[in-house]
Amino acid sequence: MGDALEKCLNSLELQTLDLFDVVVVDNSGAGRARAFGGRARVIVNQHNAGFAGAVNQGIRNSRAVYVATLNDDAIADRRWLETLVASAESHPQGGMFASEVRLMGTLLLDSAGMLIAADGSSKQRGHERPAADFTEAPDALFPSGSAALYRRSMLDHIGLFDESFFLYCEDTDLGLRARWAGWECYYVPGAVVEHFYSHSAGRATPLKAYYVERNRLYTVLKNFPAQLLWRVPFASAWRYFWHLIAMVADHGKGAEFRRSGNSAALIPVLVLRAYAATLGRLPYLLAERRRIR
């Protein structure tokens, strides 16, 4: 928060589209976002409600036809909202619209929408590739929640973000639920946002490692078709193997995790915790699966 939020809100003040509300949800418990009132309505939580819980609060506190999500560590181009809404108006079958999210200060993409791997891991389409490579790539599986536009009628249809995810992959779950319900997703080149990658929870921390692994399992159990479930354990084992190889070779996420001062022995502990937590939530996840299907 602080300087990052101030820059984010300043970018919204400069939007060419004028008719929109700004809702800031402060998860810090300290009320620091009150200093950035102005145009924004500020909701201060006494505890950290997680990304999904905070975004849902913002959605419930607005009656807008479209709902845009924007991380506090992102800066929107002045035509960001105008470009997203124009695409939504042109594509009534679309419920989700992905921004051209760039890595801060570069012409490289953070994401041009999202994809999903065989083990349930969500992948940023075009990550670290030139944004110019994706000017003619209109279809995406679902958007990154760091900077997206959602049609309210779609959210009324499928429900909001799943708050049990708390942090990470909740946009994956929402996107897949929307796809199962027949809604399309469009990538909108020109709807530019610059983003500090993994600024909030860090690039390779125990917190991120645990939630990404646990929520990958949540996503699979809730959303994957039955004919693909058998592949997930094999794809997961393959990913673990290559993470181990990369760590030994001192590159990739595993090496980054160790360079951040964490022990490599902590990784299997976090993975086991993630599986145990998923097992504990199995009745809920299977009930949600039946509802979605």
Side-chain angles (χ1 to χ4, degrees):
M1 202 170 284
D3 289 345
L5 178 60
E6 183 175 12
K7 291 175 181 177
C8 175
L9 292 177
N10 286 343
S11 73
L12 294 178
E13 290 287 351
L14 298 173
Q15 291 296 298
T16 53
L17 183 72
D18 187 55
L19 295 176
F20 65 96
D21 298 323
V22 178
V23 181
V24 178
V25 183
D26 182 352
N27 261 339
S28 71
R32 287 175 291 178
R34 285 199 180 99
F36 301 102
R39 175 180 187 141
R41 296 202 305 277
V42 179
I43 300 170
V44 179
N45 290 328
Q46 297 307 306
H47 66 280
N48 187 351
F51 178 86
V55 172
N56 287 348
Q57 285 179 282
I59 293 171
R60 294 186 184 108
N61 276 271
S62 169
R63 298 182 180 275
V65 174
Y66 301 109
V67 174
T69 57
L70 185 65
N71 279 12
D72 65 343
D73 56 357
I75 298 175
D77 177 79
R78 61 193 304 271
R79 296 188 65 247
W80 174 60
L81 283 175
E82 178 187 353
T83 306
L84 285 175
V85 170
S87 181
E89 293 289 304
S90 300
H91 300 97
Q93 71 276 30
M96 306 171 285
F97 300 85
S99 302
E100 180 183 320
V101 186
R102 297 180 184 174
L103 295 169
M104 185 65 68
T106 76
L107 296 178
L108 302 178
L109 287 170
D110 186 7
S111 76
M114 304 292 287
L115 301 170
I116 196 159
D119 69 342
S121 300
S122 49
K123 303 293 183 183
Q124 294 158 296
R125 188 175 71 147
H127 186 62
E128 295 187 337
R129 288 181 55 186
D133 290 353
F134 286 81
T135 56
E136 301 297 331
D139 294 327
L141 185 58
F142 54 89
S144 166
S146 65
L149 187 77
Y150 299 98
R151 195 180 298 274
R152 175 160 314 255
S153 58
M154 184 198 79
L155 297 174
D156 291 341
H157 179 198
I158 68 168
L160 304 183
F161 289 93
D162 186 338
E163 296 183 17
S164 69
F165 278 63
F166 189 73
L167 185 66
Y168 294 114
C169 305
E170 56 282 288
D171 50 359
T172 303
D173 170 67
L174 181 72
L176 293 179
R177 285 192 280 125
R179 285 300 207 167
W180 279 119
W183 293 93
E184 298 290 335
C185 176
Y186 292 89
Y187 170 59
V188 188
V192 177
V193 164
E194 292 190 280
H195 185 219
F196 287 106
Y197 180 62
S198 285
H199 176 78
S200 299
R203 291 180 65 96
T205 65
L207 177 76
K208 181 174 182 178
Y210 168 72
Y211 279 116
V212 167
E213 184 66 10
R214 189 201 67 172
N215 293 347
R216 173 185 72 85
L217 299 170
Y218 280 18
T219 299
V220 166
L221 289 171
K222 284 184 63 177
N223 295 287
F224 265 39
Q227 62 268 31
L228 294 182
L229 286 175
W230 68 270
R231 299 174 57 188
V232 173
F234 298 99
S236 300
W238 189 246
R239 181 170 61 88
Y240 296 150
F241 171 75
W242 281 110
H243 274 313
L244 178 61
I245 295 297
M247 186 181 296
V248 171
D250 197 34
H251 66 81
K253 294 295 182 184
E256 190 176 321
F257 186 83
R258 286 200 308 175
R259 285 196 294 270
S260 298
N262 303 296
S263 168
L266 182 58
I267 294 176
V269 174
L270 295 171
V271 170
L272 289 174
R273 277 187 57 205
Y275 276 85
T278 302
L279 186 61
R281 294 286 291 175
L282 195 57
Y284 164 77
L285 296 169
L286 294 180
E288 283 293 288
R289 178 182 182 85
R290 288 191 293 271
R291 184 183 65 82
I292 293 165
R293 300 291 286 174

